[in-house]
Amino acid sequence: MNLTCGKNTLDLSRPVVMGILNTTPDSFSDGGSYYADGRLDLDLALRRAEQILEEGGAIIDVGGESTRPGAAPVSEQEELDRVVPVVEAVVSRLGAIVSVDTSTPAVITESAAAGAGIINDVRALERPGAVEAAAATDLPVCIMHMQGQPGTMQRDPHYDDVVAEVGAYLLERMQVCERAGIGRERMIFDPGFGFGKNDDHHLAMMRNLPELAPSDIPLLVGVSRKSMVGRLLGRDVRDRLPGSLALAMLSAQRGARILRVHDVAATADVLKMQQLVDGPS
Ligand code: 8Y4
């Protein structure tokens, strides 16, 4: 399974690590902040990008919108100012595959022009104009399932059959994408851990991960340091690495192709070990 990400080709015959590079000013708990007195420090962001690559990351996920409950909404201009310069710098200086975590059509368009390789949208291109903007980039798109809206999605999530409903939603969004000209070979599916699910839902999705996407569509899993790890193990955000690594291993065993994580080196070791045991010899 190969993905064409602009100028780069991503080999997904083995699972790979996507390292998180947050450009929000308020993201200490999930990896660090690259702000110095209110201004985004491009050199700091570049150093984090270099570290991700040195530690074995294959993709750098650049995002400028916080989806945590209570986070202030970000204007289109603010998101453009945070994300596009980082994409431009990381691509031109490091030649890395950058995914852009955005739901905003203008950010999709401008990031692609700056050299981004993947569009990563937690809203599955549901914002008006987003499918069309993504289609025009020719880049692969990661569409993620979310029930509800970021501010309120964790209040009382409900499903009759979470695995069936999430899987059906992703297939439905793929059809919308295909009608807009985004071919199946450009799709990545993500069940959206932490996005409108309780821990029974999370465990059901993890147990049945292969059912969430057809076998020719790569699955992306993002569980790193998330609240589900905190609740299931009773751990503060600083002490969630072992639980996150266990879920990374379980995801890889069930066929996940991209792991979105904060702890790149540790996750790369886990994936390497999993492939030594279970991978193609
Ligand atoms: C601690 C650690 C506290 C992490 C909160 C968080 C996903 C994603 C996010 C995901 C895809 C997050 C942008 C939430 N999660 N994109 N983005 N899949 N494709 N929270 O699971 O990491 S942000």
Side-chain angles (χ1 to χ4, degrees):
M1 211 186 296
N2 274 345
L3 264 192
T4 306
C5 304
K7 290 188 168 81
N8 292 297
T9 301
L10 181 63
D11 175 7
L12 292 180
S13 59
R14 298 159 198 285
V16 301
V17 175
M18 168 186 278
I20 299 169
L21 199 173
N22 247 308
T23 68
T24 54
D26 60 346
S27 54
F28 279 109
S29 73
D30 49 289
S33 180
Y34 313 102
Y35 275 74
D37 35 82
R39 301 251 327 149
L40 177 63
D41 188 328
L42 259 189
D43 279 336
L44 282 181
L46 267 168
R47 252 184 277 166
R48 169 65 182 149
E50 275 183 303
Q51 182 194 26
I52 289 171
L53 297 176
E54 282 165 12
E55 293 185 3
I59 307 166
I60 299 170
D61 192 46
V62 175
E65 184 212 8
S66 177
T67 50
R68 82 181 65 231
V74 178
S75 74
E76 177 181 300
Q77 192 58 53
E78 178 66 16
E79 202 190 337
L80 283 166
D81 292 345
R82 285 180 190 174
V83 166
V84 179
V86 176
V87 173
E88 200 282 325
V90 172
V91 172
S92 68
R93 304 247 231 140
L94 306 178
I97 299 180
V98 170
S99 60
V100 184
D101 156 23
T102 188
S103 305
T104 311
V107 178
I108 292 173
T109 305
E110 295 302 313
S111 297
I118 297 174
I119 309 301
N120 174 28
D121 186 6
V122 300
R123 295 180 183 79
L125 303 174
E126 288 212 46
R127 282 222 179 124
V131 175
E132 294 77 10
T137 67
D138 274 336
L139 298 175
V141 300
C142 178
I143 54 171
M144 197 196 77
H145 176 273
M146 165 162 46
Q147 183 182 82
Q149 303 295 318
T152 51
M153 63 192 175
Q154 290 305 101
R155 269 181 207 170
D156 188 22
H158 182 269
Y159 301 84
D160 290 323
D161 181 337
V162 66
V163 174
E165 289 169 39
V166 169
Y169 171 82
L170 293 170
L171 289 172
E172 199 178 284
R173 292 305 297 164
M174 175 165 71
Q175 291 191 335
V176 171
C177 288
E178 283 184 305
R179 284 196 286 274
I182 304 176
R184 184 184 180 97
E185 72 290 345
R186 286 170 63 189
M187 305 290 316
I188 301 165
F189 278 13
D190 184 340
F193 288 91
F195 288 85
K197 285 106 186 165
N198 66 30
D199 290 336
D200 288 339
H201 302 138
H202 290 134
L203 293 172
M205 294 203 306
M206 187 56 68
R207 289 186 189 110
N208 300 288
L209 201 64
E211 289 177 42
L212 289 163
S215 57
D216 61 324
I217 297 186
L219 264 169
L220 187 155
V221 167
V223 287
S224 177
R225 300 187 192 173
K226 280 186 180 173
S227 302
M228 63 175 290
V229 178
R231 285 187 302 265
L232 289 166
L233 300 179
R235 297 291 182 225
D236 180 80
V237 69
R238 278 152 208 84
D239 299 315
R240 294 177 187 169
L241 179 58
S244 299
L245 294 176
L247 292 176
M249 174 66 87
L250 290 163
S251 300
Q253 287 180 325
R254 287 162 175 73
R257 291 292 151 152
I258 305 175
L259 277 296
R260 179 181 180 275
V261 306
H262 305 84
D263 305 282
V264 174
T267 308
D269 272 2
V270 163
L271 296 182
K272 198 176 290 178
M273 194 61 85
Q274 189 270 335
Q275 286 296 298
L276 287 168
V277 174
D278 283 335
S281 40

